Each structure stands twice: as C-alpha cells, then as structure tokens.
Amino acid sequence: MNPKITKLLFALTFLSMFASQQLLAQKKLNKTFPGIKKIRMSTASGNCVLRKSGDMKVTVDLTYSFDENDYEPVISQEGDQLVIKEKFRGNSSRGNADWELSVPDHIEIQFTTGSGNVEASDLSFNLKATTGSGNYTFNRLSGDLTLNTGSGNIDLDEVTGTIEATTGSGHFRVSKSSGELTLTTGSGSHKLGDSKAVFRVTTGSGNITGNDISITGSSSFTTGSGNAEVVLAAAPQFDISLASGSGDAVLDFNGHDIKGEIVMKAGKKHGEINAPFAFDKTEEISQWKDQVTVQKTAIRGTTTPHISISTGTGEATIKK
C-alpha cells in the first residue's frame, strides 16, 4: 500500500477515535434546591442513587456522556415540588447518565426509568418507583415503598415499613426487615432472612426460602411450582399458610411449640403429608378431572392460629 495512503488512514482512524472519546466525555451538573417536599423524576435509562442530605435541601448531581446536542437534562422547581426529566433529540443511542440525589427525610419521590437501577440508603421517606429492567438495592430505609421492575432483582436490607414490590422475572433477597411486606415475582425466587413482619410472598415458579422468620400478622408464602420452606424464629401467634402447586411446602418450627389448628393437604396420587404428631381427622376431597386431595387436620392445644400447609404433587411437611 502507498505509504501516503497508510499515513492518511492512520490519521483518519486517530481522528475518529478522538472524536468518539470527545463524544463520550463525562459531563457533570450540580444543583441545589431548598424547600422541596416532593420529587417527580423520569429518565430513559439512567441509574439513580438516593442518599440522605446533610441539611433540608435537595442536591442533584448528574454525570452524563450523551452529546449535548442530543441530550438535555431538565430540572425545575415548582413550588415545593422538584421535577426532573430527560429530553432527547436526534441520535441519542450512545452515552449514559447517572443521577445522585441527596434528599432530607420525610420526602415523597415518584421515579420512573426505562432500564436504570435504583439504590437508596439511610433514609426515611415514601417512594413509588418503576423501572423496565433495572434492579433495586435498598439499605437501612423506613417508609412506604411501592416498587415495580419488569425483570430486575430487588434487594432489601434493614428496611422497615409498608413495602409492596413486584418483579416479572427477578429475584428477591430480604434481610433484617420488618413491617408489612408484599413481595411478588413471576418466575424468580425469594430468599428471606432474619425478618419480622407480615408476609405476603408469591412466585409463579421460583422457590421461597425463609430463615429466622417471625410473623406479626396473618402471613402467606405461595409458589406455583417451586419449593416453599420457612424456618420460624418463634412460634406463630397469627395465621400462616405455605402452599406449592407441585413443589414441597415445609414449615420448620425450629424447636418451638407446635400449637393451633393445623390443616395439611396433598394430592392423593403423587403428594405426601409428613408431621411429627398424629392427626385428629383425615378426609379426601374430590377436585376437578378426578383429582383427589387428602386433607389431614389436627388441633394442638388451641384452635388458633390457623396453620395451613399444602401441595399438589410434592411433600407437605411440618418439622419440629
């Protein structure tokens, strides 16, 4: 190849790389707002980190690499409400944005993103958040939380309050949390540990594993085709239900007294019932398409709480 052409190609390649680096260069924005009680935020795919501020003001820090001709962060204060959104023009496929908000306690936040992650720590606030495929990672929080993600995971550590969280296919990990927890996933699994709460835990096909669990109100753990196993930290004082369509359902009393009205069910053909005590009554219940369920009932000292363990084709088990 002609040396002049080679040099020209090299120069063009270098200029292209330099232009690309300039295009993706990190840009920063910092703004502070007083008197904010509510935040309404919407991003295309940016991640968001929420932290506690050192005063009563809201500070917004944005780091982004989108070209400024294609991207505009829009931040405006409307009375005591802060509105944050992203405006895109032209070709905005290259680049990213990361938001960090320092906020005071007792603020209300509504947040929507297409695919970003959400992190929050050391706050007492109310949050409604939706992400298409991002994850939630929350530590040391209190308040009312409503969380939705299409396929992301939800991680709650030392979270207290009324939490309603849903993911289409992601997993839950919950530890050292309390309050009222309604946790739903379509096909993911639940791992719950060292928590004291009212639990409403559901998965379509994943497993449910709970260790050192105390219930403070009527609670249920339900899976369509996975296993559900809960190890109690204390004898239940409220109704509790474990159910699996085709997996095992296991309630481990972990050495605590087994008291209450206990009803255990399993399919007659493929299911099995196991318990460390004798039952007072056994009956067969006809289901659809000639399916028969065996139901066994025992009263252990008192008729409360009501304890229900059921499976279709797996094992329904109580462990002492």
Side-chain angles (χ1 to χ4, degrees), residues 44-74:
S45 60
N47 301 316
C48 183
V49 177
L50 302 169
R51 304 194 187 284
K52 189 172 182 176
S53 64
D55 52 30
M56 296 303 294
K57 298 177 181 179
V58 171
T59 299
V60 179
D61 288 290
L62 169 63
T63 302
Y64 65 99
S65 59
F66 292 109
D67 188 287
E68 292 179 325
N69 294 320
D70 299 326
Y71 174 81
E72 179 186 359
V74 180

Side-chain angles (χ1 to χ4, degrees), residues 35-48:
I36 300 299
K37 295 182 179 179
K38 185 175 182 179
I39 298 173
R40 189 171 76 248
M41 182 173 180
S42 177
T43 71
S45 60
N47 301 316
C48 183

